[in-house]
Amino acid sequence: FLRICSGTFERGMKVKVERTGKQLSLSRPQKMFAQDRESIEYGFAGDIIGLNNPGAFAIGDTVYAGKRRAYPGIPSFSPELFSYLRNPNPSTYKQFQKGMDELLGEGAVQVLYQKEGGRSDPILAAVGQLQFEVVQSRMQTEYGVETILEPLPYQVARWVSGGWDAVDKAGKIF
């Protein structure tokens, strides 16, 4: 979804995404109300329109035409809940990976992977339980993948200065 902050929106107009610098043509804008969808030709400041362009946008992106515009980003909070997200059905591996890539790109949750060890399941990191439920629901409805959450006992994550060398030097801390 996109909120028009200023100016006028026209179907087919070319815009740039401030974060990536990528130019896009917005050719299929929609107005949505409950289950109803309707194509629109114009939009004005204050209007909210739906755009379908997977992977092109992330939460908080600025889209502009003409002079470059940039707004402060949405704050990112340190996660307090962690869970493995398992795909119990190997035949849906590709859909699972596609869903994880797109949800990660949107910023729905943070996704972590263990540096070592035999387990390759992603670790979801979130501020609240609802984020996990949204991911599971979207994986099921949008990608047709049933998932299982396995909560982890951790309560905090922190960035480490110095990269992987500093982590290796500290050793295993959990």
Side-chain angles (χ1 to χ4, degrees):
F1 294 96
L2 176 115
R3 180 173 186 263
I4 303 169
C5 294
S6 64
T8 303
F9 171 84
E10 293 181 30
R11 180 183 181 149
M13 71 187 297
K14 296 199 182 313
V15 298
K16 277 194 174 180
V17 179
E18 196 273 331
R19 175 180 51 89
T20 62
K22 186 175 180 181
Q23 185 167 345
L24 303 170
S25 178
L26 303 179
S27 58
R28 293 177 290 165
Q30 298 178 343
K31 177 173 72 173
M32 298 174 215
F33 184 75
Q35 297 294 333
D36 299 331
R37 293 175 183 228
E38 178 183 326
S39 291
I40 61 170
E41 296 295 324
Y42 300 97
F44 304 95
D47 289 354
I48 297 175
I49 58 174
L51 301 173
N52 186 4
N53 200 334
F57 304 111
I59 294 172
D61 272 352
T62 298
V63 179
Y64 64 93
K67 183 181 171 191
R68 182 176 179 266
R69 304 259 188 231
Y71 296 96
I74 296 174
S76 177
F77 298 98
S78 180
E80 298 176 357
L81 299 172
F82 303 87
S83 287
Y84 279 115
L85 184 67
R86 285 194 324 106
N87 175 12
N89 186 352
S91 67
T92 59
Y93 176 79
K94 285 185 180 179
Q95 295 97 311
F96 180 82
Q97 289 302 323
K98 181 179 181 185
M100 288 306 303
D101 291 344
E102 290 186 13
L103 292 174
L104 176 61
E106 291 175 14
V109 290
Q110 293 179 45
V111 179
L112 312 172
Y113 291 93
Q114 287 189 5
K115 183 180 177 200
E116 55 195 47
R119 189 149 186 180
S120 63
D121 294 329
I123 299 172
L124 300 187
V127 175
Q129 183 65 32
L130 181 60
Q131 288 175 270
F132 293 150
E133 295 168 13
V134 167
V135 167
Q136 280 195 292
S137 175
R138 290 188 62 194
M139 289 292 281
Q140 179 68 49
T141 57
E142 296 176 28
Y143 303 98
V145 177
E146 180 184 335
T147 58
I148 297 172
L149 275 176
E150 291 181 11
L152 293 166
Y154 312 123
Q155 296 178 347
V156 68
R158 295 290 182 248
W159 290 106
V160 177
S161 298
W164 285 114
D165 291 337
V167 172
D168 290 339
K169 185 176 178 183
K172 193 167 186 170
I173 56 176
F174 55 88

